[in-house]
Amino acid sequence: MIITGEREIRLVTWNEAHFHQLYPLANNPKIAMNLKDSYPQPYTIHDARHWIEHNQKYNPPQNFAVEFEGRLAGSVGSDRGKDELRTNMELGFWVGEPFWGKGIATEAVKLYTKYIFEKFDIERIFAQVYDFNGQSMNVLEKAGYFPEAILKKAFVKNSTVGDIFQYVNIRGEQ
């Protein structure tokens, strides 16, 4: 599946063509510091293989490669809530350092949000951002998300405790 946006930005189902581009782009501590600890660091060729294979089982797809001008630039996806939280999806995204500052993440989040509301019976998409990651907060706001909550002292990263800023996009309120 391919979702096309503006300025040669595309969301593409993860496939073998992304394999050799993924691990060198994803293996960056500057990316890992802004993501959950489950994100591998260092990010190896084996992690890339596992991620691509894991995502090939979803129909419709839930996670996409973000391409810019035909090259892998990052990733966008979500996890659906379980049981009584099944009307929620938690958004995650990253863009490789060579592509920072180009508006790629904002466009990818906009395209992805539209896709999710069209394909899935969910009511809300939320994202949680560490207090030091103002760039991702800006991406979310530009993509139509609004601040919902601040979870005080909710994370520990590199031995530092901080706040999580939660952003949300609710069906029909965009």
Side-chain angles (χ1 to χ4, degrees):
M1 172 178 277
I2 298 173
I3 302 168
T4 304
E6 299 172 10
R7 302 178 314 110
E8 297 188 57
I9 294 172
R10 303 180 332 157
L11 306 185
V12 180
T13 306
W14 286 101
N15 62 65
E16 291 302 313
H18 299 119
F19 178 62
H20 287 291
Q21 298 173 67
L22 176 56
Y23 71 92
L25 189 65
N27 186 30
N28 184 335
K30 293 177 187 175
I31 293 171
M33 72 182 243
N34 292 301
L35 300 175
K36 293 182 177 182
D37 287 349
S38 58
Y39 182 86
Q41 193 55 215
Y43 199 102
T44 68
I45 194 168
H46 302 290
D47 296 317
R49 168 73 57 216
H50 174 75
W51 179 249
I52 290 168
E53 289 175 357
H54 167 76
N55 281 292
Q56 291 174 340
K57 68 182 178 183
Y58 289 98
N59 186 17
Q62 240 173 262
N63 298 298
F64 289 91
V66 177
E67 293 182 352
F68 178 66
E69 296 178 344
R71 293 176 42 213
L72 179 66
S75 179
V76 63
S78 61
D79 284 324
R80 188 172 190 148
K82 306 265 188 275
D83 301 323
E84 70 280 358
L85 301 178
R86 65 189 172 274
T87 62
N88 293 266
M89 287 184 115
E90 182 175 5
L91 173 72
F93 61 93
W94 62 266
V95 171
E97 192 170 2
F99 301 97
W100 290 355
K102 300 179 185 303
I104 295 167
T106 300
E107 178 72 14
V109 170
K110 284 180 182 178
L111 288 170
Y112 184 77
T113 301
K114 183 176 184 290
Y115 164 80
I116 288 297
F117 282 134
E118 288 173 359
K119 294 288 186 188
F120 292 85
D121 62 337
I122 59 135
E123 295 301 319
R124 61 195 312 271
I125 305 169
F126 71 94
Q128 296 186 329
V129 182
Y130 302 132
D131 55 12
F132 56 79
N133 189 352
Q135 296 88 345
S136 287
M137 292 179 204
N138 289 337
V139 164
L140 290 164
E141 289 177 11
K142 288 177 186 175
Y145 286 68
F146 59 89
E148 179 178 47
I150 300 174
L151 309 174
K152 296 298 210 177
K153 298 184 187 273
F155 78 90
V156 61
K157 199 85 164 148
N158 299 324
S159 302
T160 302
V161 174
D163 300 339
I164 291 177
F165 286 69
Q166 184 161 299
Y167 286 78
V168 68
N169 194 317
I170 297 173
R171 181 185 294 280
E173 293 186 15
Q174 308 80 301

